[in-house]
Amino acid sequence: MAEEKTFYITTPIYYPSNKLHVGNSYTTVAADAIARFKRLTGYRVWFLTGTDEHGQKIQLQAEAAGKEPRAFVDEIVAWIKELWDELDIDYDDFIRTTETRHKEKVAKIFTRFYEQGDIYKDKYEGWYCTPCEAYWTERQLVDCKCPDCEREVELIAEEAYFFRMSKYAQRLIDHIEANPDFIQPPSRKNEMINNFLKPGLEDLCVSRTSFDWGIPVPFDQDHVIYVWLDALSNYITALGYGEKGSIYETFWPADVQLIGKDILRFHTIYWPIFLMALDQPLPKTVFGHGWLMLQEGKMSKSKENAIDPRVLADRYSSDALRYFLLREIPFGQDGIFSLENFITRINTDLANDLGNLVSRTLTMAERYFDGVLPEPSAADGNTDQELCSLALETPATVEAYTDQLKISDALSELWKLVKRSNKYIDENSPWDLAKDPDNEDRLGTIIYNLIESIRFIAVMLQPFMPRTPERIWVQLGISDDHELQQWSSLARWGAVKPGTVVSRGDDLFPRLNMQAEIREMQGDKPADKDTEGVAEEDMQEGLISLDQFQQVDLRVAEIVAVEKIPKADKLLKVEVVLGDSDKRQVVAGIAEHYQPDELVGKHVLFVSNLKPVKLRGVLSQGMLLAATAEGNRLALTTVDRDMPSGSRIS
Ligand code: ME8
């Protein structure tokens, strides 16, 4: 009997300190896509996620909310599980570190470390970052702050247990060097070796006494086990580590442990060392992906800028959100999340490319063949051959990229087939062929090939966008034919049966109006039909709505410096400030009206949300407002009382 292929993938277990944001969803969506892909291609998969519920951070947050820690986390964990349901995260197990199955094993692991001499008792004096739950030495701090999250650290002095990290350091360096896949992407490997391992590993403090929300040290109840030792162990406790006949034996070592780059140190130094001390094999790959950033900086659960993934999934569908997350950012690199980028992806890739392909094809199948799939005749010309060859090659390429965790590349390969299929329609102009009944065979072949290509696309799409394929299969009339939805069905072109009844359904992804989406998502009420009508009439008379006016961000700006621009007689480069931290420069056509010196100190009206442009090679980031009149007269507009710079004008 052929040996069963297994695959174990994990996500970090998230702190239920607050609702998760779209950045946390990013890791989990990626892990889910990979897990689904492996299932689709014949692996027995175990996909683990969960929550990291102990530690000082959670205890403090619970206190701040006036709740017991357990009640506090229960609510957030319920929310997280709903989120994963909504995003179609098909995990095999969800571990909570407050569960007995986990706590008992962690206590045993700790005792074993102690008994075998890896853990000893001493006194810790140093710095602690509660948001990261991380210890730092004075030397590691940056400007007296946590080098990871740049927040305040706290000086702590406690009796504590320490783990002898240094004992395993060389073994770990050797392992990392000998196993290039262990830390991925490769750039992250050097960072770990050079910044942490080579300078010498300090022993790690692995217990705390100043709070009690944690797993007690079994033989010294004043201490709770350090939350990272507790949390990292989840990857094996959830499999039943230490229990005879558990799935641990089937699935460990993990194939892929997916994490954000922020927690690489914990996963590629502490975690493997704990495993070495337990005499267990190390995970095959720890992959540290990049950050999903907002234009204004990093996302975080505690910041208000966090974007609620449930709101996005409700409004745009979880498939669209999954597609965006997986496609937009090369996996491993940082990328920007913005509503504009998201809507653009929906409109281009999902509505124009995929949605159009399906709706055009099905419309033609209905119009020319009453929705009954015609029998194809022999391939005619290059375009048939090209389409069929690309379809047959794509599964292997998509698989290779997914195996290398290059998910964005996998999707981009899949989209080559989507685009090739659209091009096939344009090249063959079925609407012209349909004018002459003699072309019926050729027309039938084209429709058949398109349906088959769409079927290929839908099969490959399943791991990434789990809902859309079903919607496509319904239209292709094959929703009950599970054979045709299998990966193995992609080995042969022409599997869909002529005579199948197809029917055009709703558009998969209707095009969105970017401006309307941005307005609505920013909290403005959607314009209702009546007021929309009025606005349209008014626009014809040159009037604008209040809404339109409010899109212009007008401010009081203080001019702080002015320079002439060489070889531009009419232009001045003007530096202004809008409040304490917003400094801009603009190029203003006022050189004939003002001397640079007389402008400095003036408070003028300023348009602050104009797109930046370059004028004569000089960047201009806004506009000074001025009154003009006949006879080349011009006057800058100012406020008639002293107002602080940055004041809003409304
Ligand atoms: O660190 N972009 O939990 P956590 C991409 N409990 N990914 C992001 C992200 C962003 N902007 N923000 C967060 C913990 N993530 C520990 C883990 S594991 C044994 C314990 C993702 O709730 C990323 O994967 O702070 C990061 O590693 C994880 O969320 C951190 O989640």
Side-chain angles (χ1 to χ4, degrees):
M1 207 175 87
E3 208 184 308
E4 186 181 45
K5 299 186 290 183
T6 61
F7 187 81
Y8 179 35
I9 183 164
T10 65
T11 71
I13 48 170
Y14 301 99
Y15 290 125
S17 56
N18 219 324
K19 290 176 179 173
L20 302 190
H21 54 67
V22 74
N24 309 111
S25 312
Y26 179 58
T27 317
T28 312
V29 164
D32 180 69
I34 297 165
R36 284 175 182 268
F37 196 91
K38 298 308 273 186
R39 285 188 204 114
L40 183 66
T41 50
Y43 285 74
R44 180 174 170 207
V45 171
W46 200 256
F47 168 25
L48 175 72
T49 188
T51 39
D52 182 0
E53 305 188 5
H54 292 127
Q56 189 171 13
K57 166 154 95 178
I58 300 281
Q59 178 159 337
L60 290 176
Q61 297 242 358
E63 277 165 16
K67 294 187 177 149
E68 284 301 313
R70 178 68 205 215
F72 174 76
V73 293
D74 277 353
E75 262 176 44
I76 300 176
V77 171
W79 185 93
I80 293 175
K81 286 186 170 177
E82 282 169 20
L83 167 66
W84 297 154
D85 283 348
E86 212 160 321
L87 296 184
D88 295 311
I89 305 299
D90 190 9
Y91 50 77
D92 294 289
D93 193 5
F94 187 108
I95 179 116
R96 300 183 57 177
T97 53
T98 46
E99 288 174 74
T100 310
R101 62 170 173 155
H102 173 76
K103 289 194 290 188
E104 279 178 1
K105 293 191 181 77
V106 173
K108 277 192 188 150
I109 290 172
F110 197 93
T111 307
R112 172 168 170 184
F113 288 159
Y114 183 67
E115 285 172 356
Q116 70 193 22
D118 283 323
I119 282 181
Y120 61 94
K121 199 170 184 180
D122 202 340
K123 184 148 195 256
Y124 179 78
E125 263 193 60
W127 299 94
Y128 196 75
C129 172
T130 310
C132 295
E133 298 280 16
Y135 296 95
W136 296 106
T137 60
E138 183 98 32
R139 173 174 64 80
Q140 289 169 317
L141 300 180
V142 175
D143 294 336
C144 302
K145 303 243 168 80
C146 170
D148 276 356
C149 73
E150 297 167 13
R151 282 181 275 209
E152 298 292 334
V153 285
E154 178 195 0
L155 187 61
I156 57 174
E158 296 178 9
E159 185 185 66
Y161 287 91
F162 285 80
F163 189 100
R164 292 183 207 281
M165 286 285 155
S166 46
K167 179 174 154 192
Y168 297 92
Q170 191 53 48
R171 244 176 90 187
L172 180 57
I173 295 177
D174 295 344
H175 182 87
I176 295 173
E177 301 289 10
N179 294 276
D181 286 341
F182 177 57
I183 304 182
Q184 286 287 334
S187 55
R188 311 237 189 266
K189 169 184 131 179
N190 298 338
E191 189 186 323
M192 289 301 118
I193 294 197
N194 298 335
N195 295 358
F196 294 102
L197 285 166
K198 288 262 164 78
L201 264 189
E202 297 183 27
D203 288 354
L204 177 71
C205 191
V206 285
S207 75
R208 298 285 311 269
T209 52
S210 49
F211 63 91
D212 59 6
W213 180 238
I215 304 174
V217 169
F219 46 87
D220 195 344
Q221 299 275 326
D222 291 340
H223 293 249
V224 291
I225 296 173
Y226 175 41
V227 66
W228 272 100
L229 197 166
D230 165 352
L232 288 162
S233 310
N234 92 88
Y235 302 125
I236 57 175
T237 61
L239 293 180
Y241 166 69
E243 288 168 27
K244 268 224 155 347
S246 66
I247 53 167
Y248 180 78
E249 289 156 21
T250 313
F251 288 107
W252 192 258
D255 293 273
V256 176
Q257 299 213 260
L258 220 54
I259 54 168
K261 62 181 182 181
D262 53 323
I263 53 174
L264 208 69
R265 183 167 55 102
F266 300 97
H267 283 81
T268 58
I269 298 179
Y270 303 159
W271 176 226
I273 287 182
F274 294 150
L275 285 166
M276 283 174 177
L278 291 174
D279 231 352
Q280 297 301 310
L282 307 193
K284 292 176 201 158
T285 292
V286 175
F287 188 98
H289 66 66
W291 284 107
L292 203 60
M293 313 278 285
L294 296 173
Q295 246 133 7
E296 54 273 27
K298 200 174 144 204
M299 257 176 234
S300 89
K301 274 183 234 163
S302 54
K303 283 191 201 161
E304 289 182 355
N305 64 19
I307 293 192
D308 186 341
R310 286 179 70 179
V311 172
L312 295 173
D314 278 350
R315 187 172 177 87
Y316 301 106
S317 82
S318 68
D319 269 12
L321 180 58
R322 287 174 66 111
Y323 178 79
F324 174 79
L325 293 174
L326 297 171
R327 175 72 177 88
E328 181 77 3
I329 304 154
F331 204 51
Q333 296 174 20
D334 290 345
I336 299 274
F337 179 92
S338 73
L339 197 59
E340 283 92 332
N341 295 351
F342 183 27
I343 307 281
T344 303
R345 278 280 172 206
I346 293 178
N347 281 345
T348 52
D349 299 14
L350 300 181
N352 283 3
D353 295 343
L354 179 65
N356 255 346
L357 171 65
V358 174
S359 67
R360 289 165 94 191
T361 303
L362 272 294
T363 303
M364 291 189 291
E366 285 188 341
R367 185 171 304 155
Y368 306 138
F369 296 96
D370 294 329
V372 180
L373 193 60
E375 184 94 38
S377 37
D380 181 11
N382 291 339
T383 59
D384 291 9
Q385 199 46 51
E386 272 183 33
L387 183 68
C388 156
S389 309
L390 183 65
L392 287 168
E393 282 161 19
T394 304
T397 331
V398 169
E399 183 167 18
Y401 276 128
T402 309
D403 281 348
Q404 294 162 38
L405 308 181
K406 294 184 175 167
I407 308 176
S408 167
D409 292 319
L411 282 170
S412 137
E413 285 302 315
L414 182 45
W415 248 252
K416 283 187 189 160
L417 182 58
V418 175
K419 289 183 177 156
R420 184 68 192 85
S421 307
N422 271 321
K423 191 168 155 216
Y424 178 79
I425 301 181
D426 300 335
E427 286 165 341
N428 286 290
S429 316
W431 43 88
D432 287 335
L433 294 173
K435 290 178 192 153
D436 181 350
D438 284 354
N439 293 328
E440 187 169 332
D441 277 2
R442 179 67 194 137
L443 190 59
T445 306
I446 292 165
I447 300 300
Y448 181 91
N449 285 342
L450 285 166
I451 295 280
E452 184 62 340
S453 182
I454 292 173
R455 186 183 70 82
F456 265 64
I457 292 162
V459 172
M460 286 184 267
L461 210 52
Q462 294 176 89
F464 310 103
M465 298 171 72
R467 295 185 196 198
T468 304
E470 178 58 35
R471 294 174 66 203
I472 296 179
W473 287 322
V474 169
Q475 300 197 40
L476 300 192
I478 58 167
S479 66
D480 294 330
D481 191 338
H482 298 294
E483 276 290 298
L484 293 183
Q485 302 165 9
Q486 304 298 314
W487 191 258
S488 53
S489 74
L490 305 183
R492 184 169 79 82
W493 178 260
V496 66
K497 294 179 200 67
T500 305
V501 177
V502 304
S503 61
R504 196 193 147 168
D506 291 341
D507 283 351
L508 295 178
F509 294 94
R511 270 188 76 81
L512 300 168
N513 177 318
M514 174 80 81
Q515 290 313 322
E517 292 308 317
I518 290 174
R519 260 207 318 274
E520 282 196 36
M521 290 298 278
Q522 283 166 353
D524 293 349
K525 284 230 163 65
D528 67 39
K529 278 265 172 296
D530 286 341
T531 55
E532 235 168 35
V534 172
E536 226 168 70
E537 264 168 39
D538 289 346
M539 269 180 50
Q540 287 161 5
E541 294 170 21
L543 300 177
I544 59 168
S545 65
L546 184 64
D547 195 17
Q548 284 167 316
F549 169 70
Q550 281 171 342
Q551 287 175 25
V552 184
D553 189 9
L554 290 174
R555 301 296 178 114
V556 174
E558 182 183 348
I559 298 180
V560 291
V562 184
E563 268 177 51
K564 291 197 161 148
I565 298 181
K567 296 193 201 141
D569 295 342
K570 296 189 175 166
L571 303 181
L572 290 178
K573 185 170 113 183
V574 181
E575 273 191 33
V576 300
V577 289
L578 312 172
D580 290 340
S581 54
D582 193 353
K583 194 167 187 176
R584 312 275 186 97
Q585 67 172 37
V586 290
V587 176
I590 55 174
E592 293 177 320
H593 306 276
Y594 290 98
Q595 290 304 316
D597 287 351
E598 61 176 312
L599 289 171
V600 174
K602 272 191 193 301
H603 282 67
V604 292
L605 303 191
F606 184 79
V607 182
S608 81
N609 62 340
L610 266 191
K611 269 200 181 138
V613 286
K614 276 198 172 166
L615 296 169
R616 300 288 175 99
V618 182
L619 184 66
S620 184
Q621 305 161 296
M623 185 196 278
L624 304 180
L625 294 183
T628 55
E630 275 180 19
N632 193 24
R633 292 171 61 203
L634 179 147
L636 285 172
T637 54
T638 59
V639 276
D640 81 345
R641 278 203 187 118
D642 194 14
M643 295 296 285
S645 73
S647 303
R648 218 174 258 284
I649 294 162
S650 53

